[in-house]
Amino acid sequence: MTKFLNGRNALVTGSTSGIGAGIARALAEAGANVMLNGFGGADDIESLRNRMETQFEVRVGHHPADLTRPNEIVDLITHTENAFGSLDILVNNAGIQFVSPLESFPPEMWDKIIAINLTAAFHAIRLVIGGMKQNGWGRIISTASTHGLVSSPFKSAYAAAKHGLVGLTKTAALEAAEYGVTVNAVCPGYVLTPLVEGQIPDLARSRGMTEDQVKRDVMLQSQPTRRFVTVEEIGAFACFLCSEGARSITGGVLTIDGGCTSQ
Ligand code: NAD
């Protein structure tokens, strides 16, 4: 791959696992310095950081901000700007899921999902968009979901947050459109990451199915390709959105879902 992002500096939230790690690797492979964020064992994170630096010859850092805490998001952005000198690419990717019928949905889980999946993106965007507009270049990508476009039972908070993220994306895109800054939401279908693995037992319980039935008859049943989307595919898509060829793509709510939302 050409290093077309050489000299660009990126922050990917929730990049110690799953889709975020896939996007972070793809951006680093394209030449961007990357600030990782997210939880995990110190050794695992250090080994991920080290591998990316060695393999792609870019600078890779990690900041452990808990995105439920706005003051830690401020610290995350300041730390990234200080470490790299600028922040050109923001990927709002961190997210959690909780699956339950509405009548028993715990209010504290609603608050937590809205905080991580939606409000954190608002804080990060409000803190970086002015600088990007001033620089005349920027890329903001948020990992929404097919649940930013449609919904399914038992995912009230997740669907509400992802629909909100789509609205936030459109507003930010309009505000930044004349300044060389694009803002897009990518909407993956099912990707087999720890987040999805974690909801299989709950879905199995809620629907009275086995875990294998949930994978085959619920998840892949709704994905016409009948296979999980991969983190590499989402990384490649995010990279394209950061390229000059994508400079007119803004305000997009862009599916990468194996045809799921076409049904
Ligand atoms: P994952 O569980 O593998 O990774 C989530 C990441 O977010 C981890 O790095 C975790 O440490 C981080 N995180 C969680 N809470 C955090 C907090 N409070 N502060 C900072 N970081 C925090 O999940 P994933 O499947 O890779 O999901 C990533 C994003 O993709 C999420 O926004 C999710 O909603 C979205 N998404 C996932 C799928 C899928 O099928 N996996 C589909 C569509 C959208």
Side-chain angles (χ1 to χ4, degrees):
M1 180 189 282
T2 57
K3 303 269 183 191
F4 69 93
L5 293 178
N6 248 335
R8 301 291 189 198
N9 302 310
L11 164 64
V12 185
T13 69
S15 48
T16 52
S17 168
I19 295 171
I23 294 174
R25 283 181 58 82
L27 294 177
E29 188 175 7
N33 297 318
V34 177
M35 186 61 66
L36 302 169
N37 156 258
F39 304 144
D43 289 349
D44 291 341
I45 293 173
E46 178 49 24
S47 136
L48 173 68
R49 196 197 66 71
N50 205 8
R51 269 201 319 276
M52 283 174 60
E53 272 198 343
T54 314
Q55 191 174 352
F56 304 123
E57 297 176 331
V58 294
R59 294 171 60 201
V60 180
H62 171 257
H63 189 288
D66 178 343
L67 301 183
T68 59
R69 301 189 176 144
N71 61 321
E72 295 193 21
I73 300 174
V74 174
D75 197 47
L76 171 65
I77 302 293
T78 310
H79 176 80
T80 307
E81 288 170 343
N82 289 343
F84 296 150
S86 69
L87 203 170
D88 311 301
I89 299 166
L90 166 68
V91 183
N92 295 302
N93 169 79
I96 60 165
Q97 173 65 285
F98 188 81
V99 179
S100 165
L102 267 166
E103 55 270 39
S104 54
F105 206 99
E108 60 279 10
M109 281 314 294
W110 170 278
D111 289 343
K112 195 170 174 187
I113 288 175
I114 299 296
I116 297 170
N117 296 17
L118 175 58
T119 308
F122 157 70
H123 286 297
I125 291 173
R126 80 177 171 81
L127 292 163
V128 304
I129 199 164
M132 288 180 177
K133 283 162 71 177
Q134 222 160 31
N135 293 342
W137 198 93
R139 294 288 186 268
I140 299 174
I141 299 168
S142 295
T143 311
S145 163
T146 52
H147 285 84
L149 292 162
V150 295
S151 195
S152 46
F154 316 130
K155 297 187 180 178
S156 53
Y158 188 80
K162 297 298 187 183
H163 277 70
L165 195 53
V166 164
L168 172 63
T169 295
K170 291 177 181 174
T171 308
L174 294 176
E175 292 187 22
E178 290 181 57
Y179 299 88
V181 179
T182 70
V183 189
N184 289 290
V186 296
C187 298
Y190 281 108
V191 190
L192 203 53
T193 66
L195 178 142
V196 165
E197 307 256 20
Q199 62 188 276
I200 291 172
D202 289 341
L203 271 174
R205 249 191 317 277
S206 307
R207 292 181 183 248
M209 291 176 159
T210 67
E211 297 193 8
D212 274 350
Q213 282 173 323
V214 167
K215 271 195 203 169
R216 191 188 58 234
D217 300 337
V218 178
M219 295 178 165
L220 294 182
Q221 187 58 33
S222 69
Q223 215 145 270
T225 49
R226 304 284 179 253
R227 61 172 189 82
F228 288 98
V229 179
T230 70
V231 300
E232 289 78 15
E233 289 162 359
I234 300 173
F237 192 32
C239 264
F240 171 67
L241 290 175
C242 293
S243 72
E244 292 313 299
R247 69 184 183 280
S248 298
I249 303 178
T250 195
V253 185
L254 308 167
T255 56
I256 175 162
D257 67 354
C260 175
T261 47
S262 299
Q263 301 171 104

Coordinates of all heavy atoms in Angstrom, one line a residue, residues 12-23 37-40 45 62-69 72-73 76 92-97 112 115-117 120 142-147 158 162 165 186-197 199 219 223 228-229 231 234 256, ligand 1:
V12 N -7.8 6.9 17.1 CA -8.9 5.9 17.0 C -9.4 5.5 18.4 O -8.6 4.8 19.1 CB -8.5 4.7 16.2 CG1 -9.7 3.7 15.9 CG2 -7.8 5.1 14.9
T13 N -10.6 5.9 18.7 CA -11.1 5.5 20.1 C -11.5 4.0 20.0 O -11.9 3.5 19.0 CB -12.3 6.3 20.6 OG1 -13.4 6.0 19.8 CG2 -11.9 7.8 20.5
G14 N -11.4 3.3 21.2 CA -11.8 1.9 21.2 C -11.0 1.1 20.3 O -11.5 0.2 19.5
S15 N -9.6 1.3 20.3 CA -8.8 0.6 19.2 C -7.9 -0.5 19.8 O -7.0 -0.9 19.2 CB -8.0 1.6 18.4 OG -7.3 2.5 19.3
T16 N -8.2 -0.9 21.1 CA -7.4 -2.0 21.6 C -8.1 -3.4 21.3 O -7.6 -4.4 21.7 CB -7.4 -1.9 23.2 OG1 -8.7 -1.7 23.7 CG2 -6.5 -0.7 23.6
S17 N -9.1 -3.3 20.5 CA -9.8 -4.6 20.2 C -10.6 -4.4 18.9 O -10.8 -3.3 18.4 CB -10.8 -4.9 21.4 OG -11.7 -5.9 21.0
G18 N -11.0 -5.5 18.3 CA -12.0 -5.5 17.2 C -11.8 -4.6 16.1 O -10.7 -4.4 15.5
I19 N -12.9 -3.9 15.7 CA -13.0 -3.0 14.6 C -12.0 -1.8 14.7 O -11.3 -1.5 13.8 CB -14.4 -2.5 14.4 CG1 -15.3 -3.6 14.0 CG2 -14.4 -1.4 13.3 CD1 -16.8 -3.3 14.0
G20 N -11.9 -1.2 15.9 CA -11.0 -0.1 16.1 C -9.5 -0.5 15.9 O -8.8 0.2 15.2
A21 N -9.2 -1.7 16.3 CA -7.8 -2.2 16.1 C -7.6 -2.4 14.6 O -6.5 -2.1 14.1 CB -7.5 -3.5 16.9
G22 N -8.6 -2.9 13.9 CA -8.5 -3.0 12.4 C -8.3 -1.7 11.7 O -7.5 -1.6 10.8
I23 N -9.1 -0.7 12.1 CA -9.0 0.6 11.5 C -7.6 1.2 11.8 O -6.9 1.8 11.0 CB -10.1 1.6 12.0 CG1 -11.5 1.1 11.5 CG2 -9.9 3.0 11.5 CD1 -12.7 1.8 12.0
N37 N -6.6 4.0 21.8 CA -7.4 4.3 23.0 C -8.2 3.1 23.3 O -8.7 2.4 22.4 CB -8.3 5.5 22.9 CG -9.4 5.5 23.8 OD1 -10.6 5.2 23.5 ND2 -9.2 5.9 25.1
G38 N -8.4 2.8 24.6 CA -9.3 1.7 25.0 C -8.7 0.9 26.1 O -7.6 1.2 26.6
F39 N -9.5 -0.1 26.6 CA -9.1 -0.9 27.8 C -8.4 -2.1 27.3 O -8.4 -2.5 26.2 CB -10.3 -1.2 28.6 CG -11.1 0.0 29.0 CD1 -12.5 0.0 29.1 CD2 -10.5 1.2 29.3 CE1 -13.2 1.1 29.5 CE2 -11.2 2.3 29.7 CZ -12.6 2.3 29.8
G40 N -7.8 -2.8 28.3 CA -7.2 -4.1 28.1 C -6.0 -4.3 29.0 O -5.6 -3.4 29.7
I45 N -1.7 -4.4 25.3 CA -1.7 -3.1 24.6 C -0.3 -2.7 24.1 O -0.1 -2.2 23.0 CB -2.4 -2.0 25.5 CG1 -3.8 -2.3 25.8 CG2 -2.2 -0.6 24.9 CD1 -4.5 -1.4 26.8
H62 N -0.7 5.1 23.1 CA -1.9 4.7 23.7 C -2.3 5.6 24.8 O -1.4 6.0 25.6 CB -1.8 3.2 24.2 CG -3.0 2.8 25.0 ND1 -3.0 2.8 26.4 CD2 -4.2 2.5 24.6 CE1 -4.2 2.4 26.8 NE2 -5.0 2.2 25.7
H63 N -3.6 6.0 24.9 CA -4.1 6.8 26.0 C -5.3 6.0 26.6 O -6.2 5.6 25.8 CB -4.4 8.1 25.5 CG -4.8 9.1 26.6 ND1 -6.0 9.0 27.4 CD2 -4.1 10.1 27.2 CE1 -6.0 9.9 28.3 NE2 -4.9 10.6 28.2
P64 N -5.3 5.8 27.9 CA -6.4 4.9 28.5 C -7.7 5.7 28.8 O -8.4 5.2 29.7 CB -5.7 4.4 29.7 CG -4.8 5.6 30.2 CD -4.4 6.3 28.9
A65 N -8.0 6.8 28.2 CA -9.2 7.6 28.6 C -10.4 6.7 28.7 O -10.7 5.9 27.7 CB -9.4 8.7 27.6
D66 N -11.2 6.9 29.8 CA -12.5 6.3 29.9 C -13.5 7.3 29.3 O -13.7 8.4 29.8 CB -12.8 6.0 31.3 CG -14.2 5.4 31.5 OD1 -15.0 5.5 30.6 OD2 -14.5 4.8 32.6
L67 N -14.1 6.9 28.2 CA -14.9 7.8 27.4 C -16.2 8.2 28.0 O -17.0 9.0 27.5 CB -15.1 7.3 26.0 CG -13.9 7.0 25.1 CD1 -14.2 6.6 23.7 CD2 -13.0 8.2 25.1
T68 N -16.5 7.5 29.2 CA -17.7 8.0 29.9 C -17.4 9.2 30.7 O -18.3 9.9 31.2 CB -18.2 6.9 30.9 OG1 -17.2 6.6 31.9 CG2 -18.6 5.6 30.3
R69 N -16.1 9.6 30.7 CA -15.7 10.8 31.5 C -15.3 11.9 30.6 O -14.1 11.9 30.1 CB -14.6 10.4 32.5 CG -15.1 9.3 33.4 CD -14.0 9.1 34.5 NE -14.6 8.1 35.4 CZ -13.8 7.2 36.0 NH1 -12.5 7.1 35.8 NH2 -14.3 6.3 36.8
E72 N -11.7 13.2 30.7 CA -10.7 12.3 30.2 C -10.6 12.4 28.7 O -9.6 12.1 28.1 CB -10.9 10.8 30.7 CG -10.7 10.7 32.2 CD -10.6 9.3 32.7 OE1 -10.3 8.4 31.9 OE2 -10.9 9.1 33.9
I73 N -11.8 12.7 28.0 CA -11.8 12.9 26.6 C -11.0 14.2 26.2 O -10.2 14.2 25.3 CB -13.2 13.0 26.0 CG1 -14.0 11.7 26.4 CG2 -13.2 13.2 24.5 CD1 -15.4 11.7 26.0
L76 N -7.4 13.1 26.4 CA -7.1 12.3 25.3 C -6.7 13.1 24.1 O -5.7 12.9 23.4 CB -8.3 11.3 25.0 CG -8.2 10.5 23.7 CD1 -7.1 9.5 23.8 CD2 -9.6 9.8 23.5
N92 N -14.2 7.9 15.8 CA -15.0 7.7 16.9 C -15.5 6.2 16.8 O -16.5 6.0 16.0 CB -16.2 8.6 17.0 CG -15.8 10.0 17.2 OD1 -15.1 10.4 18.2 ND2 -16.2 10.9 16.3
N93 N -14.9 5.3 17.4 CA -15.2 3.9 17.2 C -15.7 3.2 18.5 O -16.4 2.2 18.4 CB -14.0 3.2 16.6 CG -14.2 1.7 16.6 OD1 -14.8 1.1 15.8 ND2 -13.6 1.0 17.6
A94 N -15.2 3.6 19.7 CA -15.5 2.9 20.9 C -17.0 2.7 21.0 O -17.8 3.6 20.7 CB -15.0 3.6 22.1
G95 N -17.4 1.5 21.5 CA -18.8 1.3 21.6 C -19.1 0.1 22.5 O -18.2 -0.8 22.5
I96 N -20.2 0.0 23.2 CA -20.6 -1.1 23.9 C -22.0 -1.5 23.5 O -22.7 -0.7 22.9 CB -20.4 -0.9 25.4 CG1 -21.3 0.2 25.9 CG2 -19.0 -0.7 25.8 CD1 -21.6 0.2 27.4
Q97 N -22.4 -2.7 23.9 CA -23.7 -3.2 23.6 C -24.4 -3.7 24.9 O -23.6 -4.2 25.7 CB -23.6 -4.2 22.5 CG -24.9 -5.0 22.2 CD -25.9 -4.1 21.5 OE1 -26.6 -3.3 22.3 NE2 -26.1 -4.2 20.2
K112 N -25.0 4.5 30.2 CA -23.6 4.1 29.8 C -23.4 4.0 28.3 O -22.5 4.5 27.7 CB -23.2 2.8 30.5 CG -21.7 2.6 30.5 CD -21.4 1.4 31.4 CE -19.9 1.1 31.2 NZ -19.5 -0.1 31.9
A115 N -23.5 7.4 26.7 CA -22.3 8.1 27.0 C -21.1 7.7 26.1 O -20.4 8.5 25.5 CB -21.9 7.9 28.5
I116 N -20.9 6.4 26.0 CA -19.8 5.9 25.2 C -20.1 5.9 23.7 O -19.2 6.4 22.9 CB -19.5 4.4 25.6 CG1 -19.0 4.4 27.1 CG2 -18.3 3.8 24.7 CD1 -18.9 3.0 27.7
N117 N -21.3 5.5 23.3 CA -21.5 5.3 21.8 C -22.0 6.6 21.2 O -21.9 6.7 19.9 CB -22.7 4.3 21.6 CG -22.3 2.9 22.1 OD1 -21.3 2.7 22.8 ND2 -23.0 1.9 21.6
A120 N -19.6 10.6 23.8 CA -18.1 10.7 23.6 C -17.8 11.2 22.3 O -16.8 12.0 22.1 CB -17.5 9.3 23.9
S142 N -17.1 8.0 12.1 CA -17.6 7.4 13.3 C -18.2 6.0 12.9 O -18.8 5.9 11.9 CB -18.8 8.3 13.9 OG -18.3 9.5 14.3
T143 N -17.8 5.1 13.8 CA -18.4 3.7 13.6 C -19.8 3.7 14.1 O -20.0 3.6 15.3 CB -17.5 2.6 14.3 OG1 -16.1 2.9 13.9 CG2 -17.9 1.3 13.8
A144 N -20.8 3.8 13.2 CA -22.2 3.7 13.7 C -22.5 2.2 13.6 O -21.8 1.3 14.1 CB -23.1 4.5 12.8
S145 N -23.5 1.8 12.8 CA -23.9 0.4 12.7 C -25.1 0.4 11.8 O -25.7 1.4 11.5 CB -24.3 0.0 14.1 OG -25.1 -1.2 14.0
T146 N -25.5 -0.8 11.3 CA -26.8 -0.9 10.6 C -27.9 -0.4 11.6 O -28.9 0.0 11.2 CB -27.1 -2.4 10.2 OG1 -26.9 -3.2 11.4 CG2 -26.2 -2.8 9.1
H147 N -27.6 -0.5 12.9 CA -28.5 -0.1 13.9 C -28.6 1.5 14.0 O -29.3 2.0 14.9 CB -28.3 -0.7 15.3 CG -28.7 -2.1 15.3 ND1 -27.9 -3.2 14.8 CD2 -29.9 -2.7 15.7 CE1 -28.6 -4.3 14.9 NE2 -29.8 -4.1 15.5
Y158 N -28.7 1.0 22.2 CA -27.7 0.9 21.1 C -28.3 1.6 19.9 O -27.6 2.4 19.2 CB -27.4 -0.6 20.9 CG -26.2 -0.8 19.9 CD1 -24.9 -0.7 20.4 CD2 -26.5 -1.2 18.6 CE1 -23.9 -1.0 19.5 CE2 -25.4 -1.5 17.7 CZ -24.1 -1.4 18.2 OH -23.1 -1.6 17.3
K162 N -26.8 4.9 18.1 CA -26.3 4.9 16.7 C -27.1 5.8 15.8 O -26.5 6.4 14.9 CB -26.2 3.4 16.2 CG -25.3 2.5 17.0 CD -23.8 3.0 16.9 CE -22.9 1.9 17.6 NZ -21.5 2.4 17.6
L165 N -25.8 9.1 16.5 CA -24.5 9.3 15.9 C -24.6 9.7 14.4 O -23.8 10.5 13.9 CB -23.7 8.0 16.1 CG -22.2 8.0 15.9 CD1 -21.5 9.1 16.7 CD2 -21.6 6.6 16.2
V186 N -19.7 5.1 9.3 CA -19.7 3.8 8.6 C -20.6 2.9 9.4 O -20.7 3.0 10.6 CB -18.3 3.2 8.4 CG1 -17.5 4.1 7.5 CG2 -17.6 3.0 9.7
C187 N -21.4 2.1 8.7 CA -22.4 1.3 9.3 C -22.2 -0.2 9.0 O -22.7 -0.7 8.0 CB -23.8 1.7 8.8 SG -24.2 3.4 9.2
P188 N -21.4 -0.8 9.8 CA -21.1 -2.2 9.6 C -22.3 -3.1 9.9 O -23.1 -2.8 10.8 CB -19.9 -2.6 10.5 CG -19.4 -1.2 11.0 CD -20.6 -0.3 10.9
G189 N -22.4 -4.2 9.3 CA -23.2 -5.3 9.7 C -22.5 -6.1 10.8 O -21.6 -5.5 11.4
Y190 N -22.8 -7.4 10.9 CA -22.2 -8.1 12.0 C -20.7 -8.4 11.7 O -20.4 -8.9 10.6 CB -22.9 -9.5 12.2 CG -24.2 -9.3 13.0 CD1 -25.4 -9.4 12.4 CD2 -24.1 -9.0 14.4 CE1 -26.6 -9.2 13.2 CE2 -25.2 -8.9 15.1 CZ -26.5 -9.0 14.6 OH -27.6 -8.8 15.3
V191 N -19.9 -8.1 12.7 CA -18.4 -8.4 12.6 C -18.2 -9.3 13.8 O -18.6 -8.9 14.9 CB -17.6 -7.1 12.7 CG1 -16.1 -7.4 12.4 CG2 -18.1 -6.0 11.8
L192 N -17.5 -10.4 13.7 CA -17.3 -11.3 14.8 C -16.1 -10.8 15.7 O -15.0 -11.2 15.6 CB -17.0 -12.7 14.3 CG -17.3 -13.8 15.3 CD1 -18.7 -13.7 15.8 CD2 -17.1 -15.2 14.6
T193 N -16.5 -9.8 16.6 CA -15.5 -9.2 17.5 C -16.0 -9.6 18.9 O -17.1 -10.1 19.1 CB -15.5 -7.7 17.4 OG1 -16.8 -7.2 17.8 CG2 -15.2 -7.3 16.0
P194 N -15.2 -9.3 20.0 CA -15.6 -9.5 21.3 C -17.0 -8.9 21.6 O -17.8 -9.5 22.4 CB -14.5 -8.9 22.2 CG -13.3 -9.0 21.3 CD -13.8 -8.8 19.9
L195 N -17.3 -7.8 21.0 CA -18.6 -7.1 21.3 C -19.8 -8.0 20.8 O -20.8 -8.2 21.5 CB -18.7 -5.8 20.6 CG -20.0 -5.0 20.7 CD1 -19.7 -3.5 20.8 CD2 -20.9 -5.2 19.5
V196 N -19.6 -8.7 19.7 CA -20.7 -9.5 19.2 C -20.7 -10.9 19.9 O -21.8 -11.4 20.3 CB -20.5 -9.7 17.6 CG1 -21.3 -10.9 17.1 CG2 -20.9 -8.5 16.9
E197 N -19.5 -11.4 20.2 CA -19.4 -12.7 20.9 C -20.2 -12.5 22.2 O -20.9 -13.4 22.7 CB -18.0 -13.0 21.2 CG -17.1 -13.1 20.0 CD -16.7 -14.5 19.5 OE1 -17.5 -15.4 19.9 OE2 -15.7 -14.6 18.8
Q199 N -22.7 -10.6 23.0 CA -24.2 -10.5 23.0 C -24.9 -11.8 22.6 O -26.1 -11.9 22.7 CB -24.7 -9.4 22.1 CG -24.3 -9.5 20.7 CD -24.6 -8.2 19.9 OE1 -25.8 -8.0 19.5 NE2 -23.7 -7.3 19.7
M219 N -28.1 -13.7 13.2 CA -27.0 -12.7 12.7 C -26.8 -12.9 11.2 O -27.1 -12.0 10.4 CB -25.7 -12.9 13.5 CG -25.9 -12.5 15.0 SD -24.4 -12.8 15.9 CE -24.8 -11.8 17.4
Q223 N -27.8 -11.1 7.1 CA -26.7 -10.6 6.3 C -26.7 -11.5 5.0 O -26.2 -12.6 5.0 CB -25.4 -10.8 7.0 CG -24.5 -9.6 6.7 CD -23.6 -9.2 8.0 OE1 -24.0 -8.4 8.7 NE2 -22.5 -9.8 8.1
F228 N -19.7 -13.0 8.1 CA -19.4 -11.8 8.9 C -18.5 -10.9 8.1 O -17.7 -11.3 7.4 CB -18.7 -12.2 10.3 CG -19.6 -12.9 11.2 CD1 -19.6 -14.3 11.3 CD2 -20.5 -12.2 12.1 CE1 -20.5 -14.9 12.2 CE2 -21.3 -12.8 13.0 CZ -21.3 -14.2 13.0
V229 N -18.8 -9.5 8.3 CA -17.9 -8.5 7.8 C -16.6 -8.6 8.5 O -16.6 -9.0 9.7 CB -18.5 -7.1 8.0 CG1 -17.6 -6.0 7.4 CG2 -19.9 -7.0 7.3
V231 N -12.8 -7.0 10.1 CA -12.2 -5.8 10.5 C -11.3 -5.2 9.4 O -11.1 -4.0 9.3 CB -11.5 -5.9 11.9 CG1 -12.4 -6.4 13.0 CG2 -10.3 -6.8 11.8
I234 N -13.3 -3.2 7.0 CA -13.7 -1.9 7.5 C -12.5 -0.9 7.6 O -12.6 0.3 7.3 CB -14.4 -2.0 8.9 CG1 -15.6 -2.9 8.8 CG2 -14.7 -0.7 9.5 CD1 -16.3 -3.3 10.1
I256 N -21.6 -1.0 5.3 CA -20.6 -2.1 4.9 C -21.2 -3.3 5.6 O -20.7 -3.8 6.6 CB -19.2 -1.7 5.3 CG1 -18.2 -2.8 5.0 CG2 -19.0 -1.2 6.7 CD1 -16.7 -2.4 4.9
Ligands
NAD1 P1 -15.0 -4.5 20.9 O1 -15.7 -4.9 22.1 O2 -14.1 -5.6 20.2 O3 -14.1 -3.2 21.0 C1 -14.6 -2.1 21.7 C2 -13.5 -1.1 22.1 O4 -14.0 0.0 22.8 C3 -12.4 -1.8 22.9 O5 -11.1 -1.3 22.6 C4 -12.8 -1.3 24.3 O6 -11.7 -1.2 25.2 C5 -13.3 0.1 24.0 N1 -14.1 0.7 25.0 C6 -15.2 0.2 25.6 N2 -15.7 1.0 26.6 C7 -14.8 2.1 26.6 C8 -14.7 3.3 27.3 N3 -15.6 3.6 28.3 N4 -13.7 4.2 27.1 C9 -12.8 3.9 26.2 N5 -12.8 2.8 25.4 C10 -13.8 1.9 25.6 O7 -16.2 -4.1 19.9 P2 -16.2 -3.9 18.3 O8 -17.2 -4.9 17.8 O9 -14.9 -3.8 17.7 O10 -17.0 -2.5 18.2 C11 -16.4 -1.3 17.8 C12 -17.5 -0.4 17.3 O11 -18.1 -1.0 16.2 C13 -18.6 -0.1 18.3 O12 -18.9 1.3 18.2 C14 -19.7 -1.0 17.8 O13 -21.0 -0.5 18.2 C15 -19.5 -0.9 16.3 N6 -20.1 -2.0 15.6 C16 -19.8 -3.3 15.8 C17 -20.3 -4.3 15.0 C18 -20.0 -5.7 15.2 O14 -20.7 -6.6 14.6 N7 -18.9 -6.0 15.9 C19 -21.3 -3.9 14.1 C20 -21.6 -2.6 13.9 C21 -21.0 -1.6 14.6

